[in-house]
Amino acid sequence: MNPLLTLVFVVGTALALGRGLDLGFWTDLESGLCIAGSVWLRYAALGIAVLVSLFAGRKLACEPKNLQNHCKPSGIVTAMAGAFFTAAGFLRFAVGMTGAGSFVRAILEILCGQWLARLAKSWLRKDWKIPTRSLTPAVLGSAVFYWCVLARFMENSSSWHRVEPTAMVWQMLAALVFLSAMVRALWLPETSNGCQLCEAGICTFLLCFCWELPRVLVLLFHGITAADLPEVLFGFGMCCIGALGLFTVARVAGSDGRPAIPRHAVG
């Protein structure tokens, strides 16, 4: 395995374990406030994850041509993400809307799930071909992450002392940048930026999988109500997007020693 990918795995494992312990012992789950240790230690962990993403992604950057071919792991994890987002959207309707924002989010989650299902089908085909000729489904499919960022600021429930809402903004932005870079690599390969794709892919893995998975598992362990189920399903969908980020980087960078894109070509 590429040493830089090994570094990403080590950092991701440490981040996931630290996040799990923090949620289990040093954070109040009801309020999201830290009950032990400085809040800045949590942000330091997130900052290290972003710095590792920038460093490793720039070193691993290659032309993302390998994305346009059959890949069973990417297809499976993308199909899972599509199923989770679609289920979250429909369940949001079933448990009742809390406002216009919830209605818009449910629609966008379903659109995201359907787009990811089409993308998964393309990667699972032996004779890969682009899911759709138009970019519109891809733009609408990734709009849910943009909406979640806007909703977080509109709700104004985020503060430096509540790490989870603030970290969620980082997660959504990472997923949005990663999916945008991946769409460029698939639909507009001549404009694709392999450096940005690898950086965003690693960042998405660390923030959307390693940081998010412990939270979802802790919620399940403590018990959830029907009203919480859409958020749990959405969380699992985010984990799948994070796994897709790592698979994408592995496919682009490989482990065969291919040279990275020259620095002057990634700007």
Side-chain angles (χ1 to χ4, degrees):
M1 180 182 290
N2 190 301
L4 287 174
L5 289 178
T6 302
L7 172 65
V8 171
F9 270 113
V10 171
V11 172
T13 300
L15 186 66
L17 291 175
R19 177 63 171 160
L21 291 172
D22 184 33
L23 290 173
F25 300 101
W26 305 310
T27 296
D28 179 57
L29 295 179
E30 294 295 330
S31 64
L33 295 173
C34 304
I35 57 178
S38 171
V39 68
W40 298 109
L41 292 175
R42 282 79 170 177
Y43 290 116
L46 289 170
I48 290 172
V50 173
L51 290 176
V52 169
S53 303
L54 296 176
F55 171 76
R58 181 164 291 271
K59 295 293 184 179
L60 290 169
C62 293
E63 295 293 345
K65 296 178 180 178
N66 285 348
L67 294 184
Q68 296 180 330
N69 55 37
H70 169 78
C71 182
K72 190 174 181 180
S74 292
I76 291 175
V77 76
T78 304
M80 292 173 61
F84 281 127
F85 287 133
T86 301
F90 280 114
L91 273 174
R92 233 173 266 282
F93 286 112
V95 300
M97 298 286 103
T98 58
S102 296
F103 177 81
V104 173
R105 179 171 175 175
I107 295 294
L108 293 178
E109 285 171 342
I110 294 172
L111 290 175
C112 179
Q114 296 308 299
W115 170 61
L116 290 174
R118 289 186 180 185
L119 184 58
K121 184 178 179 180
S122 293
W123 276 328
L124 292 173
R125 290 169 56 104
K126 295 295 183 181
D127 54 333
W128 187 92
K129 67 177 183 179
I130 199 165
T132 59
R133 292 183 179 273
S134 173
L135 276 172
T136 302
V139 173
L140 293 176
S142 57
V144 64
F145 305 104
Y146 180 70
W147 176 261
C148 287
V149 173
L150 292 179
R152 176 55 58 194
F153 286 109
M154 287 188 292
E155 292 170 2
N156 198 30
S157 61
S158 179
S159 72
W160 288 111
H161 294 284
R162 296 183 64 220
V163 179
E164 184 178 319
T166 306
M168 188 272 282
V169 174
W170 295 28
Q171 291 174 308
M172 297 300 167
L173 291 176
L176 184 61
V177 173
F178 163 63
L179 291 176
S180 298
M182 188 179 65
V183 167
R184 287 177 61 186
L186 294 176
W187 272 265
L188 303 168
E190 67 278 2
T191 68
S192 181
N193 187 324
C195 182
Q196 183 187 65
L197 179 62
C198 288
E199 290 173 348
I202 295 172
C203 191
T204 303
F205 167 68
L206 294 177
L207 297 185
C208 298
F209 182 85
C210 299
W211 182 270
E212 180 68 12
L213 184 61
R215 184 185 77 89
V216 179
L217 294 179
V218 167
L219 287 176
L220 288 177
F221 178 78
H222 283 272
I224 57 174
T225 64
D228 299 323
L229 193 54
E231 287 300 326
V232 171
L233 292 174
F234 187 87
F236 277 123
M238 290 295 292
C239 292
C240 292
I241 293 294
L244 177 61
L246 183 65
F247 290 160
T248 300
V249 173
R251 291 171 67 188
V252 170
S255 56
D256 53 5
R258 289 177 296 169
I261 298 175
R263 185 178 296 273
H264 67 271
V266 300

